[in-house]
Amino acid sequence: MTPPTSRTWARRGHTPVIRVRGRSQRRFSIAALACYKQGERSRLVFRPKRHVDHKRGGRRSFTWTDYRDLLTAAHQQLGAPFVLVWDSLNVHLDARLRAFIHARDWITAYQLPPYAPDLNPVEGIWALVRRAGQNNTAFTDPDHLMHILRRTLRELQYRSETIDGCLAATGLTLTTSRRQAQ
């Protein structure tokens, strides 16, 4: 979430550019699952994580236990077995995580090809989060950034048609009709 180069006014013919100091510290990671259950609205299950000790050699990304907890939370929210389709991130290929998945009869897992962001509906979610959460925002501190990220993701959770659109962008479609909210 490195801030973009900002632009402001300048003399005619000269595009003004303001340099933003600092580099990405990778203090935050967010994992999300776009969930589709037959006959119900689409859901977004996400977990943000702040990496406090990243400068002292601490881990800068999710561990396999974080993904394990995310899958367990998704199973509890959906209340049914599910099919997991995810990319080839090195943590997704961890032997301990694969053993956890194979030991559970409520998860069926498939790997996407090594580099296939156009097949992953969550990539569409990240594009929406970047557009909605960062436009015209100067973050005052890391807590402000986390607040904006959580708010943006919570807003997307209640827009099942947007999540469905991210699935449709992959070339897949939902074959069942959704129940209308009463």
Side-chain angles (χ1 to χ4, degrees):
M1 301 306 251
T2 305
T5 302
S6 302
R7 302 198 184 281
T8 184
W9 65 273
R11 287 188 343 233
R12 176 173 274 185
H14 293 81
T15 304
V17 176
I18 299 173
R19 302 271 180 224
V20 179
R21 294 182 191 196
R23 298 179 57 147
S24 174
Q25 298 293 319
R26 294 195 60 187
R27 295 180 189 169
F28 300 102
S29 294
I30 302 173
L33 298 172
C35 303
Y36 306 92
K37 187 175 179 184
Q38 183 176 349
E40 293 187 13
R41 68 177 181 83
S42 301
R43 297 180 189 198
L44 181 68
V45 180
F46 68 92
R47 294 290 181 269
K49 183 175 181 177
R50 182 174 182 179
H51 305 288
V52 180
D53 62 346
H54 69 283
K55 288 186 179 180
R56 288 178 265 139
R59 187 158 178 95
R60 297 181 181 189
S61 63
F62 276 91
T63 62
W64 77 272
T65 56
D66 295 324
Y67 284 106
R68 177 198 65 197
D69 296 342
L70 178 65
L71 294 174
T72 303
H75 175 64
Q76 289 174 350
Q77 287 184 23
L78 295 173
F82 61 87
V83 177
L84 176 67
V85 180
W86 59 8
D87 55 13
S88 297
L89 183 68
N90 60 354
V91 180
H92 297 169
L93 303 174
D94 189 294
R96 295 168 291 187
L97 184 59
R98 292 175 90 62
F100 171 79
I101 291 170
H102 291 302
R104 305 303 184 269
D105 60 348
W106 43 268
I107 303 176
T108 305
Y110 295 101
Q111 295 291 140
L112 288 171
Y115 184 75
D118 49 333
L119 298 177
N120 190 347
V122 176
E123 293 296 332
I125 300 289
W126 297 142
L128 292 170
V129 168
R130 279 191 293 272
R131 267 187 262 148
Q134 284 189 335
N135 286 346
N136 297 322
T137 304
F139 301 109
T140 57
D141 58 5
D143 292 328
H144 183 220
L145 172 62
M146 184 59 84
H147 172 74
I148 296 295
L149 289 173
R150 283 180 182 269
R151 187 188 73 207
T152 305
L153 287 167
R154 265 195 317 266
E155 288 172 357
L156 282 172
Q157 278 183 317
Y158 294 106
R159 295 189 175 140
S160 60
E161 67 280 352
T162 304
I163 299 172
D164 290 345
C166 292
L167 177 68
T170 65
L172 301 171
T173 58
L174 298 171
T175 57
T176 60
S177 61
R178 303 236 181 251
R179 278 189 289 165
Q180 297 297 320
Q182 296 180 10

